[in-house]
Amino acid sequence: MTSIAPLPASKELAQLHDQALQDHDGLQEPPVDQVDELRLWIARNHFYNSKLWAEEDLARRTQVTDSEIAANKRAIDRYNQARNDATERVDELMLLRLGLVDAQSARSDTPRSLAPTGARLNSETAGTIMDRLSILALKIHAMRRQVERRDVDESHRSSSRAKLGQLLQQREDLGSCLDALLADAAAGRAFFKVYRQFKMYNDPRFNPALVAEAAAAGG
């Protein structure tokens, strides 16, 4: 059953993201019994982004076997799909709480919007903004580590401090956009929709290369 907890503000999201990264680099799956359903899926989105980030780093290695890099690339595909699925679930749950989507169709491929007449359609969903905030938290976490390094010269740390400042400003600006969108949606002035990413390359029914492989195996 969907919790009636309030929609999370950008400051709460930043705290959630930063705490997970501080505690375990974001690589520990969130417990289901400590958060409401919406926050669970927000935490899962951040978890999948963190796993994706780690695999992206590993995929850039140059002194390992091709099979290890292939394993990293397959993991990247899995986590990227899971991250997108989590983003869509976040959008579903927020729209349900806002009363902006038909509950019976919310999880289908064609969810029915219940936007009030005259409300503006926001091109980016709130879940997608939250996904971007998760990625910004990862960038901030990684850049802060560069600032703290002692195996590099001061010019590296100084450059990293400047980049860190830009990332923090970007997160603050994007967070303000999220807060404004949710406030307007709650007031009936704006809405967004549940969109399906339809990642066809991950679906063996739609990826022509996988269809050809299956046909060859069947023949």
Side-chain angles (χ1 to χ4, degrees):
M1 180 176 179
T2 303
S3 169
I4 59 172
L7 296 177
S10 60
K11 287 185 178 180
E12 180 188 344
L13 287 174
Q15 291 171 354
L16 182 155
H17 293 153
D18 289 347
Q19 191 63 57
L21 291 168
Q22 181 179 328
D23 290 347
H24 37 70
D25 286 338
L27 301 176
Q28 180 175 307
E29 193 158 8
V32 298
D33 59 344
Q34 294 186 17
V35 289
D36 74 306
E37 188 177 9
L38 173 57
R39 284 161 177 78
L40 171 61
W41 281 101
I42 290 171
R44 281 179 174 168
N45 167 262
H46 190 49
F47 166 71
Y48 295 133
N49 273 326
S50 300
K51 297 287 281 187
L52 185 58
W53 182 283
E55 292 292 342
E56 291 279 11
D57 277 347
L58 292 172
R60 270 68 179 178
R61 293 175 296 172
T62 60
Q63 299 180 8
V64 297
T65 64
D66 289 347
S67 62
E68 289 179 87
I69 301 302
N72 295 140
K73 292 294 189 181
R74 292 187 184 280
I76 287 168
D77 276 349
R78 290 196 305 274
Y79 290 129
N80 192 42
Q81 184 66 59
R83 159 224 182 177
N84 280 296
D85 291 344
T87 300
E88 290 181 4
R89 187 64 181 136
V90 167
D91 277 328
E92 291 167 10
L93 291 167
M94 284 192 292
L95 287 170
L96 284 168
R97 294 191 189 186
L98 289 164
L100 294 175
V101 68
D102 169 62
Q104 296 301 315
S105 65
R107 302 209 67 181
S108 72
D109 285 346
T110 55
R112 185 167 65 88
S113 176
L114 299 179
T117 302
R120 75 176 192 278
L121 171 62
N122 207 67
S123 63
E124 186 173 23
T125 73
T128 303
I129 298 175
M130 291 181 176
D131 177 65
R132 291 172 60 195
L133 287 169
S134 166
I135 296 168
L136 274 171
L138 281 155
K139 290 182 178 181
I140 289 166
H141 182 67
M143 194 61 68
R144 188 170 280 123
R145 283 184 167 174
Q146 294 301 311
V147 172
E148 296 169 352
R149 284 179 63 182
R150 289 295 172 262
D151 62 330
V152 293
D153 59 25
E154 179 54 32
S155 65
H156 180 95
R157 289 190 291 271
S158 178
S159 174
S160 298
R161 274 192 292 273
K163 292 179 174 67
L164 177 59
Q166 287 295 310
L167 290 168
L168 289 168
Q169 182 64 59
Q170 187 178 357
R171 178 162 71 171
E172 182 177 344
D173 292 345
L174 186 58
S176 295
C177 292
L178 174 65
D179 293 338
L181 172 59
L182 292 180
D184 284 349
R189 295 187 296 268
F191 70 104
F192 52 97
K193 297 180 179 180
V194 177
Y195 292 112
R196 304 302 178 197
Q197 296 298 317
F198 298 126
K199 297 286 188 180
M200 297 174 70
Y201 50 74
N202 283 337
D203 193 326
R205 299 171 301 167
F206 294 106
N207 182 324
L210 297 180
V211 170
E213 280 189 348

